[in-house]
């Protein structure tokens, strides 16, 4: 009997050791699976799209942080959208998640970035920092936030030769699924835009708060139609060019299957006179038209300098109050 005791102890030790090895093996497998999912989720956030048409690749991919942190590092990110004829390259990518909260991912993306389209449009951009976070759920991305500081970019059209330069001191983009809807909030601070052969445009800060009905899948590309056939509510768009010159737009809108915009918006303009002067200074060739429009808006406002009018858009045709034509908006 005494001789069997060491044997039983050995078996228990062997079983304990085997159990530990099995747990480590299962944990390691789960860690690498979570790391692979981390890569897929981050690439989907950078370039939303259906898996058949959009692909993303990480150069020099490296998984770090085992065993308590899940980290993904790439020296470069390449994205190709074969359906829409768009390709893009970005700088170094760093992303991470804690093992106890793998659905909460933070990531950073370095510049430069280059985006090219089959229609001859090229966009080059750089930034001081781009930091983002996202929350996943069982299927897809539930919400995401992106903050960009020191953004500078140039867009060039090879077809028209037009060049647009832009920069913004601070940019924020927040998206979230709200049931089946998509809520979005975007803001830019101290933004400048310079268009070739155009007068200098004023520096502005702007923000937009919008809901797209039934479009929650646009956050990660699972929605296949995008804005075509979409409808929603523009809760508020605010443009501020300083010194109290503020313009606000709000109201319901929709896009038809051909991409034409329709909607009924409330347009509010603070300090109409200074806005008129600013537009005339920027576009002196249309000064008479601006004066006429300003007089009309002031009359609608009862002579005041704060204007609130209805802006109606029917399949791209914009009018004030439904009867004063403003012009046409091309389809998206």
């Amino acid at each position: 009997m005494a001789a069997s005791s060491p044997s039983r102890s050995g078996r228990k030790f062997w079983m304990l050791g085997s159990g530990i090895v099995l747990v480590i093996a299962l944990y390691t497998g789960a860690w690498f699976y979570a790391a692979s999912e981390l890569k897929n989720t981050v690439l989907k956030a950078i370039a939303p799209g259906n898996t058949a048409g959009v692909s993303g690749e990480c150069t020099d991919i490296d998984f770090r942080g085992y065993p308590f942190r899940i980290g993904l590092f790439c020296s470069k990110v390449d994205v190709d959208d074969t359906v829409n004829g768009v390709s893009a390259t970005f700088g170094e990518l760093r992303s991470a998640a804690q093992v106890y909260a793998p659905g909460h991912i933070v990531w950073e993306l370095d510049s430069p970035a280059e985006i090219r389209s089959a229609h001859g449009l090229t966009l080059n951009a750089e930034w001081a920092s781009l930091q983002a976070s996202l929350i996943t759920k069982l299927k897809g991305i539930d919400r995401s936030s992106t903050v960009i500081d020191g953004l500078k970019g140039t867009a060039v059209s090879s077809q028209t030769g037009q060049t647009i330069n832009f920069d913004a001191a601070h940019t924020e983009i927040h998206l979230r699924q709200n049931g089946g809807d998509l809520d979005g909030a975007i803001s830019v601070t101290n933004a400048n835009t310079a268009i070739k052969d155009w007068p200098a445009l004023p520096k502005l800060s702007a923000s937009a708060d919008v809901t797209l009905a039934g479009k929650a899948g646009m956050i990660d590309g699972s929605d296949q139609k995008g804005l075509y056939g979409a409808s929603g509510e523009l809760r508020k768009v605010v443009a501020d060019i300083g010194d109290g010159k503020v313009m606000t737009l709000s109201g319901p809108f929709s896009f038809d299957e051909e991409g034409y915009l329709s909607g009924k918006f409330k347009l509010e303009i603070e300090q109409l006179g200074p806005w008129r002067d600013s537009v005339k200074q920027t576009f002196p060739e249309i000064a008479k038209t601006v004066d006429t429009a300003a007089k009309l808006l002031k009359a609608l406002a009862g002579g005041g300098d704060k204007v609130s009018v209805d802006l109606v858009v029917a399949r791209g045709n914009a009018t004030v109050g439904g009867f004063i034509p403003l012009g046409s908006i091309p389809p998206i």
Side-chain angles (χ1 to χ4, degrees):
M1 296 294 293
S4 65
S5 179
S7 177
R8 287 197 298 269
S9 297
R11 285 197 299 269
K12 290 180 180 178
F13 181 79
W14 183 85
M15 292 177 64
L16 176 61
S18 298
I20 292 174
V21 171
L22 179 61
V23 169
I24 292 175
L26 290 174
Y27 180 85
T28 301
W31 188 93
F32 277 101
Y33 174 79
S36 178
E37 288 299 301
L38 172 66
K39 182 195 77 169
N40 294 334
T41 301
V42 172
L43 290 178
K44 190 174 289 186
I46 294 173
N50 63 80
T51 55
V54 179
S55 62
E57 294 294 334
C58 279
T59 302
D60 301 325
I61 188 168
D62 184 19
F63 295 110
R64 305 176 189 175
Y66 181 86
F68 301 117
R69 187 176 174 88
I70 307 167
L72 167 69
F73 290 74
C74 306
S75 62
K76 187 178 71 168
V77 177
D78 295 285
V79 176
D80 282 300
D81 182 347
T82 58
V83 174
N84 297 301
V86 178
S87 60
T89 59
F90 303 91
E92 184 176 335
L93 168 68
R94 301 173 295 278
S95 62
Q98 302 293 342
V99 293
Y100 55 81
H104 183 191
I105 302 169
V106 294
W107 54 280
E108 296 180 339
L109 189 64
D110 289 348
S111 60
E114 183 180 35
I115 302 173
R116 304 164 298 277
S117 79
H119 301 291
L121 181 65
T122 301
L123 172 64
N124 291 280
E126 59 182 29
W127 49 84
S129 79
L130 187 159
Q131 298 178 323
S133 67
L134 54 90
I135 305 294
T136 64
K137 57 181 183 178
L138 291 178
K139 184 178 181 181
I141 298 172
D142 183 60
R143 63 184 63 194
S144 69
S145 296
T146 304
V147 178
I148 308 172
D149 287 321
L151 175 64
K152 295 181 180 180
T154 300
V156 179
S157 172
S158 61
Q159 293 185 351
T160 65
Q162 185 60 268
T163 300
I164 301 176
N165 293 286
F166 61 90
D167 63 77
H170 186 79
T171 304
E172 294 193 20
I173 304 170
H174 302 278
L175 303 172
R176 69 167 184 173
Q177 293 193 26
N178 184 6
D181 302 337
L182 177 65
D183 290 339
I186 302 172
S187 64
V188 293
T189 303
N190 294 333
N192 293 285
T193 302
I195 304 175
K196 180 183 176 183
D197 299 327
W198 279 40
L201 299 175
K203 178 183 291 188
L204 64 80
S205 294
S207 63
D209 188 0
V210 63
T211 293
L212 292 171
K215 291 296 179 178
M218 286 184 67
I219 195 173
D220 57 14
S222 57
D223 178 275
Q224 301 298 309
K225 296 184 66 176
L227 292 176
Y228 291 92
S231 62
E233 180 76 22
L234 190 62
R235 285 190 289 274
K236 183 177 287 189
V237 172
V238 180
D240 185 349
I241 61 174
D243 299 324
K245 297 188 286 291
V246 178
M247 185 181 297
T248 304
L249 189 69
S250 61
F253 66 91
S254 64
F255 292 95
D256 64 18
E257 296 295 338
E258 296 179 353
Y260 285 98
L261 172 67
S262 295
K264 185 175 182 180
F265 305 99
K266 179 67 70 175
L267 174 64
E268 297 181 337
I269 303 175
E270 301 275 356
Q271 297 196 30
L272 177 62
W275 266 105
R276 175 202 59 209
D277 296 339
S278 179
V279 174
K280 286 171 60 178
Q281 184 178 1
T282 304
F283 303 102
E285 67 277 9
I286 60 171
K288 291 184 178 180
T289 302
V290 172
D291 279 332
T292 300
K295 290 178 182 178
L296 176 61
L297 291 174
K298 198 160 189 174
L300 292 174
D305 215 31
K306 179 178 179 179
V307 176
S308 178
V309 296
D310 289 331
L311 178 63
V312 180
V313 182
R315 294 199 82 243
N317 295 311
T319 60
V320 174
F323 60 91
I324 303 173
L326 290 179
S328 298
I329 302 172
I332 56 176

